[in-house]
Amino acid sequence: MAPSPDKLQMFENRLTKVFRHLKKLARRQNISCYRVYDDDIPEFPFSIELYENKVYVAEYQRRHGMEEEAHEAWLDSCLELISKVLEIPLDLIFVKQRQRKQHRQAQYEKLSFESQEMIVQEAGLKFKVNLSDYLDTGLFLDHRITRGMVREEAKDKKVLNLFCYTGSFSVYAAAGGATQVTSADLSKTYLSWAEENMRLNDIDVSKHEFVHADVLQYLDTLKLNTFDLVIMDPPTFSNSKRMKDFLDIQRDHVTLLNKVLLATKKGGVIYFSNNYRRFVLDEAQIEASSIRDITTPTTPFDFQQKLIRKCYRIVK
């Protein structure tokens, strides 16, 4: 069933109110890429993000009971409304459909070949985002504050970024004065994207490492007491054909963290986060000197009450 005009009006009212509020906060903080809406009303299961002058809309898959044609018409109505409220032309709005539970390898699969790429700014740094071709844009907006913390701590440090994706944490670390940043990921596509992000910021990539590896195996090759600062933001589950093992972050986080701690210098810091809704950190089994849950202080203004990820600062 397509929603009634009343429901569309409800969606418009909600979007208008939220956008008006967030736009002010974003302007005050000089932020040009932020999330505007995230599944606030069940009948309109969208995530809507603004990337400067363009909009990225992800429609979460759910049983809507509409025929394909009716669904298309409904989606067109929603997009017209989003265009009107956000004052962005329809041709600058990009739409993806995504499942609520997503396996990591889907993130690596190219979904289209439009290459709607643009360079956006965040905290004085530049990043390439792609609004059309992949499931994610290349910049996780919810880690904006965490990236800033890494930048502040990185000076003269040796940094490791595991499951690095497009290397935004690596860019922040290098910009913060890290002596060397090692970025590891299973995807060659994302590693070259990470390298491109480094170059965009005039960072000498020859001073840094980009490692194409299955992180689960790569951890066993690391030397003891090597890194001062580690970022680890793994997927909840991963069973990519290129991985030897299946990753389940609830089951495997203790093993992963203890291996990372071995490769970390005494007093070194690990920023660990994940998106598993029911995640429980098994603190007693982690061989660290201190563990602090920093989920709340690292939650940006546009993710308040909406964020499912957990974030921890772990000290060896």
Side-chain angles (χ1 to χ4, degrees), residues 11-150:
F11 178 46
E12 182 175 348
N13 293 347
R14 174 70 187 166
L15 193 56
T16 303
K17 183 183 171 187
V18 171
F19 182 51
R20 195 176 288 149
H21 172 63
L22 293 177
K23 189 163 65 169
K24 276 184 202 156
L25 294 174
R27 196 181 291 136
R28 225 173 277 155
Q29 295 179 40
N30 199 23
I31 288 166
S32 59
C33 304
Y34 57 97
R35 184 165 289 187
V36 177
Y37 172 97
D38 192 7
D39 207 7
D40 297 19
I41 301 170
E43 292 92 338
F44 299 92
F46 299 116
S47 160
I48 303 171
E49 293 177 344
L50 195 64
Y51 288 85
E52 297 183 355
N53 66 333
K54 293 179 183 173
V55 174
Y56 175 79
V57 177
E59 182 194 356
Y60 297 116
Q61 284 188 352
R62 87 298 188 211
R63 291 195 190 93
H64 47 62
M66 287 182 260
E67 295 293 326
E68 199 172 327
E69 212 170 291
H71 178 257
E72 287 298 316
W74 168 81
L75 189 55
D76 286 347
S77 302
C78 292
L79 294 175
E80 279 170 25
L81 199 149
I82 292 165
S83 167
K84 175 185 153 189
V85 173
L86 271 53
E87 297 178 340
I88 301 279
L90 275 167
D91 61 350
L92 296 181
I93 297 178
F94 300 88
V95 188
K96 281 279 168 297
Q97 289 179 310
R98 62 188 305 156
Q99 296 171 346
R100 287 185 183 280
K101 287 184 181 171
Q102 202 67 53
H103 289 290
R104 180 64 167 243
Q105 82 261 32
Q107 191 187 43
Y108 295 136
E109 290 164 7
K110 204 156 190 188
L111 303 178
S112 84
F113 294 88
E114 295 172 51
S115 283
Q116 285 297 333
E117 294 177 353
M118 64 187 291
I119 306 302
V120 298
Q121 301 252 358
E122 185 184 84
L125 299 170
K126 294 176 189 161
F127 298 93
K128 181 181 93 170
V129 297
N130 185 321
L131 302 182
S132 58
D133 295 4
Y134 300 92
L135 200 65
D136 292 298
T137 64
L139 187 64
F140 290 133
L141 303 180
D142 61 305
H143 270 306
R144 198 184 298 123
I145 294 170
T146 329
R147 285 192 279 271
M149 290 166 84
V150 165

Side-chain angles (χ1 to χ4, degrees), residues 86-252:
L86 271 53
E87 297 178 340
I88 301 279
L90 275 167
D91 61 350
L92 296 181
I93 297 178
F94 300 88
V95 188
K96 281 279 168 297
Q97 289 179 310
R98 62 188 305 156
Q99 296 171 346
R100 287 185 183 280
K101 287 184 181 171
Q102 202 67 53
H103 289 290
R104 180 64 167 243
Q105 82 261 32
Q107 191 187 43
Y108 295 136
E109 290 164 7
K110 204 156 190 188
L111 303 178
S112 84
F113 294 88
E114 295 172 51
S115 283
Q116 285 297 333
E117 294 177 353
M118 64 187 291
I119 306 302
V120 298
Q121 301 252 358
E122 185 184 84
L125 299 170
K126 294 176 189 161
F127 298 93
K128 181 181 93 170
V129 297
N130 185 321
L131 302 182
S132 58
D133 295 4
Y134 300 92
L135 200 65
D136 292 298
T137 64
L139 187 64
F140 290 133
L141 303 180
D142 61 305
H143 270 306
R144 198 184 298 123
I145 294 170
T146 329
R147 285 192 279 271
M149 290 166 84
V150 165
R151 185 186 202 168
E152 281 167 27
E153 272 186 77
K155 189 159 177 56
D156 302 326
K157 303 262 173 79
K158 203 166 179 188
V159 179
L160 175 63
N161 185 6
L162 299 165
F163 305 96
C164 75
Y165 186 42
T166 60
S168 54
F169 273 107
S170 302
V171 170
Y172 267 80
T179 52
Q180 188 187 44
V181 183
T182 301
S183 307
D185 202 279
L186 188 61
S187 165
K188 283 182 179 172
T189 302
Y190 286 134
L191 277 174
S192 62
W193 193 332
E195 206 169 318
E196 201 178 331
N197 277 335
M198 287 278 215
R199 290 183 201 278
L200 276 175
N201 293 282
D202 300 318
I203 293 160
D204 182 354
V205 295
S206 68
K207 291 181 179 171
H208 305 285
E209 273 193 296
F210 300 87
V211 180
H212 175 234
D214 173 349
V215 170
L216 301 188
Q217 264 78 58
Y218 175 62
L219 288 176
D220 294 327
T221 71
L222 296 176
K223 290 185 180 142
L224 300 175
N225 309 314
T226 303
F227 298 98
D228 304 286
L229 185 58
V230 181
I231 302 102
M232 185 164 74
D233 183 25
T236 300
F237 300 102
S238 188
N239 58 350
S240 169
K241 297 183 194 91
R242 286 166 288 180
M243 281 179 77
K244 201 170 117 188
D245 302 318
F246 173 79
L247 172 69
D248 174 334
I249 200 56
Q250 183 61 67
R251 182 193 68 198
D252 300 330

